[in-house]
Amino acid sequence: MKQRTAGIGKGGGVLLGGILVSFVVFAVFLTPGRALRIAKAASFNLAIDGFFEQGDEEAIPAFALQLPTPAPRSGDSGAGALVHAGITYPFQWKALADAPEGSRRPVSIELALELPAPIAPCLAMRVDAGPIAAGFQQHLLLRCASTVGVDAIWSDVQYVDLGRGEAGIRGLFEWPQGAVPGSGAARPMAVSAPGAMGVWQDPLSWNATAPEHDGAVERVRSLIGVLADTALSSYARHDSLLRMVDVDAFLRYYALLDLFHAADRHHAVLLDPERGRLRPLLMATAPCAGTDITDSTDVLRTMLMEDVAWRYRYEGYQQEAFRILHTDGFYEGEAHRLQRRLTPALRTDRRKVGMATADDPAEYPVNLGRAREEIRSLRRACMDRWDERAAAMTNTTGNGTDR
């Protein structure tokens, strides 16, 4: 008995020593406060969430992905299968370069289905393995966009079995990029390079989702030519914009982004084949931030806002969106419903990651409580700002200065 006790003590000492050394190393590179926060989150992830792994019927995966072993790395591609309700749907996949170096999570993948599957109304989608709170907020913004009349890609948040003993919450986003052969969207559209600044100044940053949709790119390049033509009078530019773009669709789009203080990382447009006009498609947004992150290089937005009548319509669309999303409670209600649906899966997702701080994209393992707190924090950032806006509107109306 004494030998066994001594052995346990020695092993525990080695383990404790390793933990202390690791903490010192992390503290040197990450600062002590941040290192302690990450270490605490990882400990809770292992010690507490493990109790919830068994017997939770609500956490059954919505579907399973059959991918090769070992796990795909950035740039890998190949064939796989999606299994839903016992039915197999083949697809082509490509691993995306979005997982930070040293991250414990899998890379996100783009997949192109050969046949429609009941989990999504699109053949091509991105299975996003990023921070849970960010995926939650992106999906919520896209849901809000569809509710207030802004064209947006399809999205959802589901519990996915990735095989190899891995399962967890993943954001699912329609992916009309066409990077995988045959994955182009079945509609005429064009998209810009991700994260490109000043896309309305660079025709080469745009591409079609499929070869037969080159007409959308041609229309975009014609529009860029109009925006760049300094010799045009304001009247001529006004008439050109009316012929080339759906002005009201763009005004609704900008009104929604400004209401959320959000930025579209991709610029995408749909071409109405009957009217020959472009309209925006919301693809991906940054999480709701505390400061305005409007792209000041967006030439189209600037020109639309210079027109007094169009600016007034923009303000009306923003007021309408504010009433639906905040005053009528759509945003808060949808957020609560989504969080309740995700909670059982959050307990069993042992590979969930979060962000160290709001201004630091570094990822670290989080437990159930921390994941839910990050989701609540993002939600409250919007709600608090909208409450301030509502109070300011009330005061303005009370002073008789409202329009």
Side-chain angles (χ1 to χ4, degrees), residues 25-283:
V25 172
F26 273 108
V28 170
F29 289 98
L30 302 176
T31 73
R34 183 175 162 203
L36 180 61
R37 183 166 58 250
I38 293 175
K40 183 174 70 173
S43 300
F44 275 97
N45 178 275
L46 293 173
I48 295 179
D49 285 7
F51 288 108
F52 295 100
E53 285 189 325
Q54 305 298 325
D56 194 338
E57 295 181 357
E58 293 184 86
I60 295 175
F63 62 91
L65 296 182
Q66 295 179 346
L67 296 170
T69 302
R73 294 177 298 178
S74 173
D76 291 349
S77 61
L82 183 154
V83 181
H84 177 79
I87 302 176
T88 299
Y89 302 86
F91 61 75
Q92 296 294 316
W93 60 271
K94 178 181 179 181
L96 304 175
D98 67 339
E101 186 176 353
S103 174
R104 68 197 296 266
R105 69 169 170 90
V107 296
S108 300
I109 65 168
E110 174 191 352
L111 60 86
L113 292 162
E114 297 178 9
L115 297 172
I119 66 163
C122 51
L123 289 176
M125 71 185 82
R126 171 191 175 105
V127 181
D128 187 10
I132 290 173
F136 177 98
Q137 186 73 343
Q138 282 197 34
H139 170 62
L140 198 53
L141 261 64
L142 292 167
R143 285 279 293 121
C144 290
S146 300
T147 302
V148 298
V150 176
D151 290 326
I153 61 171
W154 172 87
S155 69
D156 197 4
V157 182
Q158 296 188 24
Y159 193 65
V160 183
D161 183 351
L162 298 175
R164 305 179 303 274
E166 299 175 6
I169 293 177
R170 298 291 179 265
L172 306 180
F173 300 95
E174 180 183 355
W175 192 247
Q177 286 293 93
V180 173
S183 67
R187 50 190 173 183
M189 64 179 295
V191 296
S192 73
M197 300 296 287
V199 293
W200 296 109
Q201 299 171 334
D202 182 10
L204 298 180
S205 71
W206 292 83
N207 61 84
T209 59
E212 63 269 22
H213 298 157
D214 285 343
V217 174
E218 292 176 3
R219 195 62 170 171
V220 167
R221 291 175 177 170
S222 297
L223 173 60
I224 292 175
V226 170
L227 297 175
D229 190 348
T230 57
L232 283 178
S233 67
S234 58
Y235 296 105
R237 183 175 289 109
H238 181 279
D239 291 342
S240 296
L241 291 178
L242 278 176
R243 291 194 305 270
M244 304 185 77
V245 304
D246 186 330
V247 172
D248 285 287
F250 273 97
L251 293 176
R252 287 184 182 274
Y253 167 81
Y254 289 126
L256 179 75
L257 290 180
D258 291 349
L259 184 62
F260 275 96
H261 287 199
D264 201 349
R265 289 197 294 266
H266 291 267
H267 284 70
V269 291
L270 302 170
L271 175 63
D272 183 343
E274 295 183 0
R275 304 177 66 189
R277 295 181 182 176
L278 299 170
R279 54 188 297 122
L281 177 70
L282 184 60
M283 287 185 61

Side-chain angles (χ1 to χ4, degrees), residues 380-397:
R380 289 310 311 173
C382 284
M383 296 300 297
D384 291 345
R385 188 172 61 253
W386 289 353
D387 286 340
E388 292 176 2
R389 177 190 174 112
M393 291 168 57
T394 301
N395 293 337
T396 303
T397 304

Side-chain angles (χ1 to χ4, degrees), residues 334-393:
E334 194 69 16
H336 279 302
R337 282 191 291 273
L338 181 58
Q339 187 163 340
R340 283 198 303 269
R341 179 164 68 88
L342 291 182
T343 295
L346 276 171
R347 295 192 184 107
T348 59
D349 185 354
R350 297 298 302 281
R351 294 177 67 88
K352 52 183 173 283
V353 294
M355 294 173 287
T357 60
D359 59 351
D360 184 350
E363 300 171 3
Y364 67 103
V366 294
N367 68 308
L368 171 64
R370 178 61 185 175
R372 295 178 67 177
E373 179 56 34
E374 287 189 358
I375 291 173
R376 280 195 297 267
S377 176
L378 283 175
R379 190 176 76 235
R380 289 310 311 173
C382 284
M383 296 300 297
D384 291 345
R385 188 172 61 253
W386 289 353
D387 286 340
E388 292 176 2
R389 177 190 174 112
M393 291 168 57

